[in-house]
Amino acid sequence: MPQERTAVVERKTNETDIKIRLELGSLESASEQTISIDTGIGFLDHMYHALAKHGRWSLTLACAGDLHIDDHHTAEDTAIALGMAFKKALGEPRGIRRFGHAYCPLDEALARAVVDISGRPYACIDLGLRREKVGALSCEMIPHVLHSFATAAGITLHVDVLRGDNDHHRAEAAFKALAVAIREAVSRTGANDVPSTKGVL
């Protein structure tokens, strides 16, 4: 019986108080999902919900942040905490595909995401957003969320929006593509090896 891949993370600073429970899904997941997101920033909730839904995660995420200042700390810190939870839930990357990629459209927008569960944090993000904000979330924070998640998760991440006129569509397509790519990368192969010539990740 495959081991359950779950994690609970609590991260409290002078700027944010975050509680996360995460259960990772994969290509073969058939269990019912539970998703509850409350960051205080509606569009950020929407992006995390898309990530969880299409990644086949069950995710509960609550954040009380200093939104009276701006959205920066809440967006950054929730991404860091989510990356920590992802890394903890995955555990030793043994018996997984390791690599994943996906293209996801949303109407006129098309996004590509490529993931390597590498143990080496790196992110190259090009979303081409033009607006100052989508809802209450600053557009400059959207790629920063992906960078922060990749760094805390210890993964290599490339996300590009290839076309699109609407920034809501561009951002959402990017999160959906990331979700599907991660779902592929963490899927079990049936083997028990570490997928690296080094023997460790």
Side-chain angles (χ1 to χ4, degrees), residues 33 55 64 90-91 98 103 112 137 164 167 173 189 197:
Q33 290 175 275
L90 185 61
R98 176 178 168 177
Y103 290 83
R112 176 185 62 211
L137 182 62
D167 279 357
T189 62
T197 55

Coordinates of all heavy atoms in Angstrom, one line a residue, residues 33 55 64 90-91 98 103 112 137 164 167 173 189 197:
Q33 N -10.9 15.1 -3.1 CA -10.1 16.2 -2.7 C -10.9 17.1 -1.7 O -12.1 17.2 -1.8 CB -9.8 17.1 -3.9 CG -8.7 16.5 -4.8 CD -8.5 17.4 -6.0 OE1 -9.3 17.3 -7.0 NE2 -7.5 18.2 -6.0
G55 N -3.6 19.7 -9.5 CA -2.5 18.9 -9.0 C -3.0 17.7 -8.2 O -2.2 16.9 -7.8
A64 N -3.4 34.6 8.2 CA -3.7 35.9 8.7 C -2.4 36.8 8.5 O -1.4 36.6 9.2 CB -4.1 35.9 10.2
L90 N 6.2 15.2 0.3 CA 6.9 14.3 -0.7 C 7.9 13.4 -0.1 O 8.0 12.2 -0.4 CB 7.5 15.1 -1.8 CG 8.1 14.3 -3.0 CD1 7.0 13.5 -3.7 CD2 8.8 15.3 -3.9
G91 N 8.6 13.9 0.9 CA 9.6 13.1 1.6 C 10.8 12.8 0.6 O 11.0 13.5 -0.3
R98 N 9.8 12.1 -11.3 CA 10.8 13.2 -11.1 C 10.5 14.4 -12.1 O 10.4 15.5 -11.6 CB 12.2 12.8 -11.3 CG 13.2 13.9 -11.2 CD 14.7 13.5 -11.3 NE 15.5 14.7 -11.5 CZ 16.8 14.7 -11.5 NH1 17.5 13.5 -11.4 NH2 17.5 15.8 -11.7
Y103 N 1.2 21.6 -20.9 CA 0.6 22.8 -21.5 C -0.8 22.9 -21.1 O -1.6 22.0 -21.2 CB 0.7 22.7 -23.0 CG 2.1 22.8 -23.6 CD1 2.9 21.6 -23.7 CD2 2.6 23.9 -24.2 CE1 4.1 21.7 -24.3 CE2 3.8 24.0 -24.8 CZ 4.6 22.9 -24.8 OH 5.8 22.9 -25.4
R112 N 2.9 27.0 -20.4 CA 3.8 25.8 -20.4 C 4.5 25.8 -19.1 O 5.1 26.8 -18.6 CB 4.8 25.8 -21.5 CG 5.8 24.6 -21.5 CD 6.8 24.8 -22.6 NE 7.6 26.0 -22.4 CZ 8.1 26.7 -23.4 NH1 7.9 26.3 -24.7 NH2 8.8 27.8 -23.2
L137 N -4.4 41.3 -6.0 CA -3.0 40.8 -6.0 C -2.2 41.5 -7.0 O -2.5 41.6 -8.2 CB -3.1 39.3 -6.4 CG -1.7 38.5 -6.4 CD1 -1.0 38.6 -5.0 CD2 -1.9 37.1 -6.9
G164 N -1.5 35.2 -25.0 CA -2.6 35.5 -24.2 C -2.8 37.0 -24.1 O -1.8 37.7 -24.0
D167 N -4.7 39.2 -18.5 CA -3.7 38.8 -17.5 C -4.3 37.8 -16.5 O -3.6 37.0 -16.0 CB -3.3 40.0 -16.7 CG -2.1 40.8 -17.5 OD1 -1.7 40.3 -18.5 OD2 -1.7 41.8 -17.0
A173 N -3.8 30.2 -16.3 CA -3.2 29.1 -17.2 C -1.9 28.6 -16.7 O -1.5 27.4 -16.7 CB -3.1 29.6 -18.6
T189 N 6.2 5.4 -9.9 CA 6.6 4.6 -11.0 C 6.3 3.1 -10.7 O 6.4 2.3 -11.7 CB 8.0 4.8 -11.4 OG1 8.8 4.4 -10.3 CG2 8.3 6.3 -11.7
T197 N 21.2 9.6 -11.5 CA 22.4 8.9 -11.6 C 23.3 9.0 -10.4 O 24.2 8.2 -10.2 CB 23.2 9.4 -12.9 OG1 23.4 10.8 -12.8 CG2 22.4 9.1 -14.1

